Amino acid sequence: MRAVLEGPEIRRALTRIAHEVLERTKGAEDVTLLGIPSRGAPLARRLAERIERVESRTVPCGALDITMYRDDLHLAPARALGRTDIPQQGIDGRVVVLVDDVLFSGRTVRAALDALNDLGRPRAVQLAVLVDRGHRELPIRADYVGKNLPTSLRETVRVQLEETDGRDAVLLGPAGGPGTPAEALRRSAERRGPGSEEENR
């Protein structure tokens, strides 16, 4: 796989997204950041830190596990449950910014919206992603994008973060060889139509 983003570029993209959130929400006074595990959670924390440095106040930040809300549980092996961590302020009446690493089919975001609906009623929900690789299956669009990355369905995007992988990088490469889980999911997705990312995001 080849790197299409390295650490400095990822840091600049997150700084830009943080400033865009501040501008769009008029100072982020009622913003709550919720990362979608696994890599959306550390990205949300990084965004919160950047906003806090500018505004000199704490931005509520947490994590939203969507495992049991996915629509592909019967197509993939059993998944370990992630952690949902809602800040003390809750989400009612607030602007919730969902944060994820890669936006692909849109199904992960749909699951996140369903999970959020069971937790409260935000005033608005926005979406921030590090990479938008296209091939949407649902009418979902990100409000904040670090990088738009045109890809084919025979390619996969892998995000690595210092917190989980020991380095910051966005990698692009083939979706996997014959017999691999990624290839099996890709073939299944091709039978269903566009959108074959192994996470089916």
Side-chain angles (χ1 to χ4, degrees):
M1 301 185 79
R2 64 182 178 90
V4 292
L5 286 180
E6 297 280 5
E9 297 163 304
I10 290 174
R11 289 191 289 273
R12 286 194 293 270
L14 291 175
T15 297
R16 175 171 49 80
I17 289 174
H19 283 281
E20 289 175 355
V21 170
L22 281 168
E23 181 178 0
R24 182 162 179 170
T25 62
K26 297 179 172 57
E29 188 171 350
D30 58 351
V31 164
T32 295
L33 298 169
L34 292 181
I36 301 174
S38 58
R39 288 167 182 80
L43 288 174
R45 289 193 294 271
R46 292 194 198 184
L47 287 174
E49 291 167 0
R50 283 163 168 76
I51 293 172
E52 288 167 9
R53 284 201 293 266
V54 175
E55 292 297 308
S56 299
R57 68 163 177 271
T58 300
V59 178
C61 180
L64 179 66
D65 179 56
I66 53 91
T67 303
M68 299 310 297
Y69 294 86
R70 298 184 65 98
D71 62 2
D72 62 351
L73 289 176
H74 63 293
L75 297 175
R79 300 169 183 266
L81 292 176
R83 180 183 179 191
T84 290
D85 178 19
I86 303 300
Q88 186 177 1
Q89 295 88 338
I91 62 171
D92 289 336
R94 298 186 64 83
V95 176
V96 172
V97 180
L98 296 172
V99 183
D100 205 2
D101 55 352
V102 179
L103 177 58
F104 187 20
S105 69
R107 293 181 181 274
T108 292
V109 178
R110 180 209 59 78
L113 292 172
D114 287 347
L116 203 59
N117 188 58
D118 283 348
L119 296 172
R121 192 176 190 275
R123 178 165 62 83
V125 180
Q126 299 175 359
L127 175 62
V129 297
L130 180 60
V131 175
D132 184 346
R133 62 164 296 185
H135 303 290
R136 212 76 75 242
E137 295 178 2
L138 299 174
I140 288 172
R141 179 180 61 86
D143 300 275
Y144 313 102
V145 178
K147 182 175 180 62
N148 287 290
L149 185 63
T151 62
S152 80
L153 290 176
R154 295 184 178 275
E155 293 176 309
T156 186
V157 175
R158 182 183 303 165
V159 172
Q160 295 182 330
L161 297 177
E162 187 72 33
E163 296 90 335
T164 55
D165 309 288
R167 66 174 290 203
D168 283 346
V170 175
L171 307 176
L172 178 67
T180 65
E183 174 68 8
L185 280 175
R186 183 185 68 77
R187 292 182 181 277
S188 173
E190 284 181 345
R191 288 194 293 270
R192 292 184 287 112
S196 62
E197 182 80 311
E198 59 265 49
E199 289 287 345
N200 199 24
R201 293 183 179 276

